[in-house]
Amino acid sequence: MKKRVFIISLIVLQFSHLLSFSQSFDIPTKGAGISFGNSAKFTGLRFNFSDHNIEKINGVNVTIWAPKEETFLGKTSGILVGLPLTGGGEVRGISIGGGVMASQSMHGISIGIVGAGAGGNMAGINVGGIGLGTGGSLSGINIGGVGLGSGGNMSGINIGGIGTGSGGNLSGFNVGGIGLGSGGDMVGINLAGLGMGAGGSLKGISFAGIGLGSSSDIVGIQAALVGLGAGENLKGLSVAGIGLGSGNTLAGIQVAGVGLGAGNTVSGIQIAGVGIGAPEIKGLSVALVVGGGEITGITVAPAYLQIEEDGHYTGLAVSSCTISKGTFTGVGIGIFNYTRSLKGIQFGLLNYVKDNPKSLRLLPIFNASF
């Protein structure tokens, strides 16, 4: 009887120490096996009410209550389960809790019912029921029920229910329910319900419900229901419901419901519902109104075609009204054709060539250089 009382007293004494969050009851030895309490260093299966000042944990760690400040000072590896749960300077393994966090980095599987995050990098499978974020890079399969973000680069499969963003580069399969953005380059398959933007270049297959843009280049297949724009070059297949443009060049196949243009050159196949404009246009251009300084190729402008002062047109032009304030080389077909200098032929109801002798400047049906 006395032996039983002694054993019970010993157990009660051990658990009284556990409640102070400073010691633990370990089986079979201290530091390994099964631990009950706030063991600072342990390998094996560990149960604790709330963690505090932990140095290194390897194995399975189960907690119930929110950890105290400065919970983990060292490394944690294995399986961590808690509600919520805070990992150490470096956490490796499986972390599951209401909220999963690490002061430095997390590697492996991290699942937070509410959220998950790390002050440094996160790599592996990372899921936050509401939010997922890291101050460093984020790589692997990353899902945030509402938001997903990283202070550094983000790579892999990245899905945010409302928004996804990275302070650095964003690469892989990237989805933002409303918005998607990166401070650097964005590469891969990029989908946003409303808007998308990259501080660097945007490359791959990109779609946004309203608009997408880049401060640098956009390359690949890109579409937006409203607008699409690049600060530098826009290359590939580009489709916008209203307008698209670039600060430098547009190259490839461009389709816009209203208008498209570039600060320098538009080349390839361009189709717009209303207008196309650029200092230099090359290729096939189709719009109600087309205007530029140097235009080469085939132009179909049912309403109006204009070549700017001292500009040059080379190719085939079909327009109700063609006004060339420079040199027209090729064939012009329309109702009224006007050019200062002609190297070719005009067909239309009225055709005017300013360089011709006075009696031959305005002719019906056709005109040429006489």
Side-chain angles (χ1 to χ4, degrees), residues 70-152:
E70 298 181 356
T71 300
F72 280 84
L73 305 179
K75 294 184 178 181
T76 305
S77 61
I79 301 175
L80 287 74
V81 181
L83 187 67
L85 185 148
T86 298
E90 182 178 355
V91 176
R92 294 180 179 272
I94 301 174
S95 305
I96 302 173
V100 177
M101 296 183 66
S103 60
Q104 292 182 20
S105 62
M106 298 188 76
H107 304 270
I109 299 175
S110 305
I111 300 175
I113 298 172
V114 175
N121 303 326
M122 292 183 73
I125 299 175
N126 309 297
V127 180
I130 294 179
L132 173 65
T134 174
S137 63
L138 186 59
S139 60
I141 299 175
N142 310 300
I143 301 173
V146 175
L148 172 65
S150 70

Side-chain angles (χ1 to χ4, degrees), residues 270-337:
Q270 307 94 37
I271 301 172
V274 177
I276 297 173
E280 185 177 12
I281 299 175
K282 301 177 180 180
L284 172 63
S285 304
V286 180
L288 283 176
V289 178
V290 177
E294 300 287 330
I295 302 179
T296 304
I298 299 173
T299 304
V300 179
Y304 187 73
L305 169 63
Q306 177 169 309
I307 295 87
E308 300 296 337
E309 193 79 27
D310 298 324
H312 199 163
Y313 185 94
T314 303
L316 171 64
V318 180
S319 178
S320 297
C321 179
T322 298
I323 303 297
S324 172
K325 298 179 181 181
T327 301
F328 189 99
T329 301
V331 178
I333 302 173
I335 296 174
F336 177 69
N337 299 302

Side-chain angles (χ1 to χ4, degrees), residues 55-251:
E55 297 179 19
K56 186 176 182 180
I57 302 297
N58 297 313
V60 179
N61 185 49
V62 180
T63 59
I64 299 174
W65 199 248
K68 295 181 178 293
E69 295 180 359
E70 298 181 356
T71 300
F72 280 84
L73 305 179
K75 294 184 178 181
T76 305
S77 61
I79 301 175
L80 287 74
V81 181
L83 187 67
L85 185 148
T86 298
E90 182 178 355
V91 176
R92 294 180 179 272
I94 301 174
S95 305
I96 302 173
V100 177
M101 296 183 66
S103 60
Q104 292 182 20
S105 62
M106 298 188 76
H107 304 270
I109 299 175
S110 305
I111 300 175
I113 298 172
V114 175
N121 303 326
M122 292 183 73
I125 299 175
N126 309 297
V127 180
I130 294 179
L132 173 65
T134 174
S137 63
L138 186 59
S139 60
I141 299 175
N142 310 300
I143 301 173
V146 175
L148 172 65
S150 70
N153 298 329
M154 190 183 300
S155 60
I157 298 175
N158 310 298
I159 301 174
I162 292 181
T164 299
S166 69
N169 300 324
L170 181 59
S171 60
F173 179 72
N174 311 303
V175 179
I178 293 180
L180 177 66
S182 71
D185 298 333
M186 192 182 300
V187 181
I189 299 175
N190 311 299
L191 307 174
L194 294 182
M196 178 191 309
S201 61
L202 179 59
K203 299 179 180 180
I205 300 174
S206 306
F207 173 81
I210 292 182
L212 65 87
S214 165
S215 62
S216 184
D217 298 337
I218 298 179
V219 181
I221 300 173
Q222 44 276 335
L225 296 182
V226 177
L228 194 159
E232 292 294 331
N233 305 310
L234 180 57
K235 300 178 180 180
L237 173 61
S238 307
V239 180
I242 294 181
L244 64 86
S246 71
N248 190 20
T249 64
L250 281 176

Side-chain angles (χ1 to χ4, degrees), residues 48-59:
N48 191 26
F49 181 78
S50 177
D51 289 335
H52 180 56
N53 289 339
I54 304 305
E55 297 179 19
K56 186 176 182 180
I57 302 297
N58 297 313

